[in-house]
Amino acid sequence: MTVSDVGARVERARAAAGLSQRRLAEATGISQASLSRLIAGTRTPKAPELVSIADATGTTYAALAGTGPSARARCVARSTNGNRMDGMREALAGYLDLDAYLDDQGIARRR
């Protein structure tokens, strides 16, 4: 994951969500100057910032960080009861993103 790659993904997510940099900054609590540097690839984003950006743009942390779910996990999702595979994969990816985020934050798993 390079800083410029993350910045480009954040910019694509911002544009796809129809948000200006100012609106995205307001929605995330990140200053507009910091957000601009992050998008330009001159500032390394912190994990909580990417989580806020993902939430505000309707994407996932993994999509912004470039760490999408593994191919194996994508194959695990099965279509049942008339559900579409795309929806099943998206739900699974969301759970995997959350699991990875909690691990990154040092939040222990319940056994």
Side-chain angles (χ1 to χ4, degrees):
M1 163 177 89
T2 68
V3 177
S4 61
D5 290 342
V6 174
R9 286 190 288 272
V10 168
E11 176 58 16
R12 283 193 298 272
R14 181 202 62 76
L19 297 170
S20 66
Q21 278 191 15
R22 176 178 289 182
R23 292 278 186 209
L24 182 56
E26 290 170 356
T28 60
I30 301 169
S31 74
Q32 187 173 357
S34 292
L35 185 60
S36 179
R37 288 192 310 275
L38 190 152
I39 289 171
T42 60
R43 179 181 177 278
T44 303
K46 298 174 183 132
E49 292 172 332
L50 286 181
V51 170
S52 294
I53 293 168
D55 184 51
T57 60
T59 190
T60 65
Y61 173 88
L64 295 177
T67 61
S70 70
R72 181 177 172 188
R74 285 193 302 269
C75 293
V76 169
R78 299 279 189 253
S79 179
T80 58
N81 300 328
N83 293 320
R84 293 184 47 221
M85 281 300 289
D86 292 342
M88 298 293 287
R89 286 186 184 121
E90 186 175 319
L92 177 60
Y95 290 124
L96 293 172
D97 288 344
L98 176 60
D99 185 57
Y101 172 72
L102 294 172
D103 283 345
D104 287 346
Q105 297 302 307
I107 298 171
R109 296 173 190 241
R110 288 188 178 183
R111 304 255 184 227

